[in-house]
Every structure is written in C-alpha cells, then in structure tokens.
Amino acid sequence: MEPSRRMEKVGDLIRTELADIILRKLKDPRVGFVTITHVEVSPDLRHARVLISVLGSDEQKKDTMKGLKSAAPFMRVELGKRMKLRVTPELAFTFDESIERGAHMLELLESIKKEHKDGEGEE
C-alpha cells in the first residue's frame, strides 16, 4: 500500500523527534551511535517501524538494539509530549540493512574495477 502524505509527514516528524530524544534525553550507556534512517507509520498511525543504522561492532549493534527496545516506552511518552496526535504510535526498532548493503556493493564494484585495471596491464 502506498503511504499517504500524512503518514510520510508523521513519519518524518517522529524521526526528527526521536533523533533529538535519543541524543538529549536517553541516558542508556548501551545505546551507541545511532542514526534513524526512516520511520514507517501504519495507516491508523498506531504503529511506527523505526529503521536504524548503528556504527560499531556486531556486539555494539546488539547492545544498542537492546537499549532502544528497553527505552521504547520512555521514548513513546516523550513523543506524546512533543507531538499533537490523538494516539502516540508504538515504536518498533529494526536495523536498516540498506546502508550496509550499499557499502558492500561499493566494495564489490571497487574490486571489479581493480581487477579490470590489473587485467588490462597484463596484455
């Protein structure tokens, strides 16, 4: 289903507010360097899927996810205070794999480019 303009606007606002809450209000030491890449909101605005990217090792990513999940109720309350919605959406955090996939694709392209250059020099 194509997201409506309102769903997109609410998602963008949630993304902005959550980024500020994580930066300024969240004190959980498990939460490392997090970037909120996108927020998908359900048509009834009751659920928000928050796509995140985390800089660090696999262990740091797991710890960050645990910290975000445990802080979700706190962040939801903070969102409710900041946003004028009838219902504040439930927050579900998931990793955004697209950034890592993109970086992997760039690595592959670079290696192909290097192999191609090496192959030209041998002839």
Side-chain angles (χ1 to χ4, degrees), residues 1 19-20 28 33 61 77-78 97-98 110 118:
M1 184 169 130
D20 188 62
D28 193 325
F33 188 76
K61 291 177 183 180
V77 169
E78 284 294 313
E97 308 285 329
S98 65
E110 286 297 320
D118 290 348

Side-chain angles (χ1 to χ4, degrees), residues 10-11 13-15 17-19 21-22 26 36 38-42 45-52 65 68-80 83 85 87-94:
V10 170
L13 185 58
I14 289 172
R15 184 177 52 80
E17 294 298 335
L18 279 179
I21 290 167
I22 290 170
L26 204 57
I36 299 173
H38 187 69
V39 176
E40 297 171 355
V41 183
S42 65
L45 304 178
R46 293 185 182 277
H47 302 278
R49 185 169 157 235
V50 183
L51 298 165
I52 63 163
M65 187 58 80
L68 288 173
K69 286 183 178 181
S70 72
F74 165 76
M75 290 189 278
R76 185 174 183 223
V77 169
E78 284 294 313
L79 269 180
M83 297 177 67
L85 296 173
V87 178
T88 305
E90 293 280 340
L91 303 173
F93 293 92
T94 57

